[in-house]
Amino acid sequence: MSFVTNKTAKFTTIDLKKVKQTLPKVVKASDSEEGLKKSGMSIEEKVRIASSVGEEVLTTEELTKLYGAKDHPIVYDGFEPSGRMHIAQGVLRAINVNKLTSTGCMFKFWVADWFAQLNNKMGGDLEKIRTVGQYMIEIWKAIGMDMTNVRFLWASDEINTYAEEYWTLVMDIARANSLNRITRCCTIMGRKEEDDMSASQIFYPCMQAADVFFLKADICQLGMDQRKVNMLAREYAKDKKMRFKPVIISHHMLMGLKEGQEKMSKSDPDSAIFMEDSKEDVKRKIKKAYCPPEIVENNPIMDYAKNILFAYNGRFDITVDGVAKSYKEYEVLEAEYKAGSVHPKDLKEAVTNGLNVILQPVRDHFASGEPKALLEKIKKFKVTR
């Protein structure tokens, strides 16, 4: 597939007034609000639920105004199809999407196939990348993501269809920023500023910032690791005197299972719980995981209890000294763990059991037929950086 198939596109830069005049005129099928589920919630309740998704919200005041102005704010999140999916991408993302769509939001998932190719994922093989994208969508369906207000958009298809609009934005953002400013954003790709990167990877942040405006996003809902490029988009909106800046809701990054791992790593299978892991895999990984007694900070098992099991079930079930307990509030579990009333062994067993219940529908989905064949193909792909 060529990088740009629209050969009539003119990649001239124009001022933002013209950009703003052009964007609303481009009507995409994905923009249609037909069939979207509305919410009967108050604005205050919508803001409370949406804010619960984020470790940081920029800003709550802007989010409140947004819900007052729109029944169906557009939320944007993008993902690189880059290998097997772990629970941070699968379960945590499904929880967050369902919260936001319950408030009436339209959620646009940007299936960033070209971005994965730029970032050399799956060896830069676009066919493999798109296969991984299909696998990830299948997982979200299986785990219970409510698809009513969700749209999946493939970056390569959308960009080719609206090439002039897209590349005009990218070029304008590139011109508006210094090379140093863009390089600082390259951590969004899992790179360090001092890494030896290709020219395509330097271009990546400009494209991701352009995505926000191309998709007409009111809210950027990505992880804390994507904060730098989201701020780049807000700065661009401010510099160009746009009426509204995108609201940023940055979600928590789930820890890796090993000591000192700030987030899960696909390249280290024992650091992550994957969505189709067997019961035995989950038990083995959790048993080996870092979980210091009476210490909550940087403890991945407590992190999973809070951000996966409490968030998914609304409670946390555990057996302590042979007595079954059900915590309704994470803070109570945390206090008792710190006090030594809950032992790491009991906590690990409870987290193992809880995760296995959540993941079982995914295992069932991929146990036979086309989903099974798709998973077997994915497992043979080599994960590359």
Side-chain angles (χ1 to χ4, degrees), residues 78-143:
F79 65 94
E80 282 188 0
S82 57
R84 294 174 63 197
M85 183 189 286
H86 50 55
I87 59 173
Q89 290 178 305
V91 181
L92 190 59
R93 199 170 239 142
I95 292 168
N96 291 342
V97 169
N98 286 353
K99 283 183 177 181
L100 287 162
T101 57
S102 75
T103 69
C105 289
M106 178 200 289
F107 208 104
K108 289 185 177 181
F109 264 119
W110 193 233
V111 190
D113 51 356
W114 264 355
F115 291 75
Q117 188 178 43
L118 287 174
N119 206 12
N120 197 39
K121 298 300 173 70
M122 314 312 297
D125 187 323
L126 194 60
E127 183 178 348
K128 289 182 178 179
I129 289 167
R130 289 180 72 97
T131 301
V132 174
Q134 292 288 357
Y135 146 85
M136 296 176 82
I137 294 170
E138 284 294 311
I139 284 186
W140 281 318
K141 291 177 181 178
I143 199 64

Side-chain angles (χ1 to χ4, degrees), residues 79-261:
F79 65 94
E80 282 188 0
S82 57
R84 294 174 63 197
M85 183 189 286
H86 50 55
I87 59 173
Q89 290 178 305
V91 181
L92 190 59
R93 199 170 239 142
I95 292 168
N96 291 342
V97 169
N98 286 353
K99 283 183 177 181
L100 287 162
T101 57
S102 75
T103 69
C105 289
M106 178 200 289
F107 208 104
K108 289 185 177 181
F109 264 119
W110 193 233
V111 190
D113 51 356
W114 264 355
F115 291 75
Q117 188 178 43
L118 287 174
N119 206 12
N120 197 39
K121 298 300 173 70
M122 314 312 297
D125 187 323
L126 194 60
E127 183 178 348
K128 289 182 178 179
I129 289 167
R130 289 180 72 97
T131 301
V132 174
Q134 292 288 357
Y135 146 85
M136 296 176 82
I137 294 170
E138 284 294 311
I139 284 186
W140 281 318
K141 291 177 181 178
I143 199 64
M145 183 183 286
D146 185 350
M147 298 294 181
T148 309
N149 288 20
V150 174
R151 306 287 184 268
F152 288 98
L153 306 174
W154 293 82
S156 58
D157 294 341
E158 294 293 312
I159 293 170
N160 272 332
T161 303
Y162 305 99
E164 183 171 359
E165 177 189 356
Y166 185 80
W167 291 113
T168 296
L169 273 168
V170 172
M171 297 299 287
D172 200 58
I173 290 169
R175 291 180 67 247
N177 290 278
S178 68
L179 181 59
N180 285 339
R181 179 71 180 89
I182 296 302
T183 302
R184 289 199 301 272
C185 288
C186 287
T187 55
I188 64 173
M189 299 181 288
R191 310 287 172 178
K192 297 178 182 178
E193 290 181 37
E194 62 271 20
D195 284 354
D196 183 19
M197 290 178 285
S198 66
S200 65
Q201 289 169 323
I202 294 294
F203 216 52
Y204 190 116
C206 299
M207 292 173 64
Q208 186 167 325
D211 295 342
V212 176
F213 306 103
F214 180 69
L215 296 172
K216 302 182 178 68
D218 300 301
I219 299 171
C220 297
Q221 202 292 283
L222 295 90
M224 287 294 293
D225 61 337
Q226 304 297 301
R227 186 182 188 278
K228 288 183 179 180
V229 77
N230 287 335
M231 293 304 297
L232 182 73
R234 277 179 65 90
E235 290 166 9
Y236 178 74
K238 180 180 178 181
D239 291 344
K240 298 298 182 177
K241 296 181 172 56
M242 291 186 180
R243 186 179 177 187
F244 298 106
K245 298 190 292 292
V247 175
I248 310 301
I249 301 179
S250 301
H251 66 248
H252 172 73
M253 301 299 295
L254 207 64
M255 298 178 193
L257 289 168
K258 297 180 179 180
E259 183 177 2
Q261 289 184 318

Side-chain angles (χ1 to χ4, degrees), residues 83-84 122 125-135 276 366 369-383:
R84 294 174 63 197
M122 314 312 297
D125 187 323
L126 194 60
E127 183 178 348
K128 289 182 178 179
I129 289 167
R130 289 180 72 97
T131 301
V132 174
Q134 292 288 357
Y135 146 85
E276 73 287 339
F366 285 94
E370 292 183 9
K372 182 179 180 179
L374 180 62
L375 177 59
E376 290 302 318
K377 182 183 291 186
I378 295 298
K379 286 182 175 180
K380 294 176 183 177
F381 291 167
K382 181 180 179 181
V383 176

Side-chain angles (χ1 to χ4, degrees), residues 28-54:
K28 306 179 180 74
S30 59
D31 293 336
S32 173
E33 295 187 358
E34 184 178 353
L36 291 185
K37 187 191 302 180
K38 292 186 177 181
S39 171
M41 300 175 185
S42 66
I43 292 175
E44 292 75 16
E45 182 68 2
K46 291 178 181 180
V47 171
R48 184 191 68 79
I49 291 174
S51 297
S52 72
V53 168

Side-chain angles (χ1 to χ4, degrees), residues 315-320 322-328 332 336 341-342:
R315 67 180 195 281
F316 183 73
D317 299 326
I318 188 171
T319 300
V320 179
V323 179
K325 299 181 66 174
S326 185
Y327 291 92
K328 298 296 190 293
V332 177
E336 294 194 6
S341 302
V342 176

